[in-house]
Amino acid sequence: MPKAQETAVYTHGHHESVLRSHTWRTAENSAAYLLGSLKPHMRILDIGCGPGTITADLAERVPDGHVTGVDHAPGILEQARATAAGRGLANVDFAVADVHALDYPDDTFCVVHAHQVLQHVGDPVQALREMRRVTKPGGFIAVRDADYAAMTWHPQVPGLEEWLDLYERVARANGGEPDAGRRLKAWALAAGLTDITATSSTWTFATPEERAWWSGLWADRTLASSYAERATQGGHATEEDLRAVSAAWREWGRREDGWFAVLHGEILCRKEA
């Protein structure tokens, strides 16, 4: 039987406006639900590692163990290696991988972690089956994903509702599921996982600095990233539409009363011993 493989297209790409967000992520702000389960000796697989900031944080927390960061996009791994090297970490390595068909033996890792990955893959249930397969008995599968439809903000600047509708249409046309957060538990059950702790947490952007950063990266991403190309080339929006959405983000960022919350679903699953 041929191996399953990725069929979805990564909506965001790796434009600077995307990496501005990815490099901000830490274990504390993006994997807090997992940290209490880590032990110094653990071997961890970090799927969809991107530029490696979370990977490096995890490696610091397992000084007697090892972390392998993998990503479907080979180009980003050089930045991940530089991140780890810059922090003097010797217990981390990086490789190209497809979460639907991981090139590791059964029962290899103590923890398999994926942050903002399942919303972008073609078969999240198969991905979770693979994550379970390579996890040791008694080990953990840890997954966190945003839920776009659950994002909420104030004030209701004209154009942001259009942004959300457009993003969801583009993401689904690319084969993903932007409202993944609410589905994680269901996908885990379908993958055969039984010991599941389901939680949620948020990112909140409200200070002037946070508003400027969050609105700026989305204003730029809307015009210049792979997402922008897929929106226009897929017939989902015109360049004029994208300019209007980008301007809406800038307007929201200028508002003193601006507040934006990103809800994430989380699952921490223990593999049966």
Side-chain angles (χ1 to χ4, degrees):
M1 178 180 291
K3 280 189 173 182
Q5 60 182 1
E6 181 59 272
T7 57
V9 174
Y10 180 48
T11 296
H12 298 287
H14 291 96
H15 183 262
E16 182 277 331
S17 60
V18 178
L19 294 180
R20 208 181 308 165
S21 170
H22 290 185
T23 54
W24 165 83
R25 298 172 185 173
T26 65
E28 289 85 358
N29 69 29
S30 299
Y33 71 103
L34 166 64
L35 299 185
S37 300
L38 298 183
K39 306 296 181 189
H41 68 277
M42 283 181 160
R43 185 176 181 187
I44 300 174
L45 178 66
D46 185 26
I47 295 173
C49 66
T53 52
I54 296 176
T55 318
D57 282 351
L58 295 175
E60 289 179 342
R61 284 165 172 78
V62 292
D64 302 322
H66 189 88
V67 180
T68 297
V70 298
D71 203 282
H72 198 245
I76 197 61
L77 294 179
E78 283 309 307
Q79 186 168 339
R81 292 185 181 101
T83 298
R87 289 164 66 168
L89 295 168
N91 64 332
V92 60
D93 70 310
F94 296 93
V96 176
D98 180 351
V99 68
H100 297 89
L102 295 168
D103 192 22
Y104 299 100
D106 296 359
D107 307 337
T108 298
F109 298 96
C110 306
V111 176
V112 178
H113 168 262
H115 182 261
Q116 310 288 32
V117 171
L118 294 192
Q119 63 183 283
H120 297 296
V121 306
D123 189 343
V125 174
Q126 170 60 19
L128 282 162
R129 289 192 187 108
E130 274 293 274
M131 294 170 71
R132 175 179 177 271
R133 180 184 66 78
V134 301
T135 301
K136 293 179 179 180
F140 295 97
I141 299 97
V143 179
R144 184 175 191 256
D145 266 277
D147 193 298
Y148 276 76
M151 293 184 188
T152 189
W153 60 86
H154 181 83
Q156 295 299 319
V157 172
L160 288 190
E161 290 286 355
E162 286 76 9
W163 158 75
L164 180 58
D165 176 70
L166 174 62
Y167 180 81
E168 292 219 319
R169 284 188 284 114
V170 173
R172 290 193 172 109
N174 287 338
E177 175 45 69
D179 302 342
R182 71 189 64 188
R183 292 173 164 83
L184 295 182
K185 183 178 180 182
W187 289 340
L189 288 168
L193 292 158
T194 55
D195 186 348
I196 304 168
T197 300
T199 55
S200 63
S201 61
T202 61
W203 292 335
T204 304
F205 306 103
T207 68
E209 296 78 15
E210 289 166 348
R211 292 196 313 272
W213 180 79
W214 184 244
S215 64
L217 69 86
W218 270 108
D220 293 344
R221 191 181 301 190
T222 298
L223 295 178
S225 69
S226 296
Y227 158 65
E229 294 175 13
R230 288 163 186 144
T232 53
Q233 293 174 6
H236 305 288
T238 64
E239 291 185 7
E240 182 179 355
D241 294 333
L242 295 183
R243 285 194 294 271
V245 168
S246 179
W249 271 111
R250 298 285 185 194
E251 171 61 22
W252 175 83
R254 288 190 290 268
R255 293 291 297 264
E256 272 186 23
D257 57 347
W259 178 92
F260 200 107
V262 179
L263 178 71
H264 295 82
E266 303 159 344
I267 52 170
L268 186 63
C269 312
R270 188 152 200 155
K271 183 174 176 178
E272 63 278 8

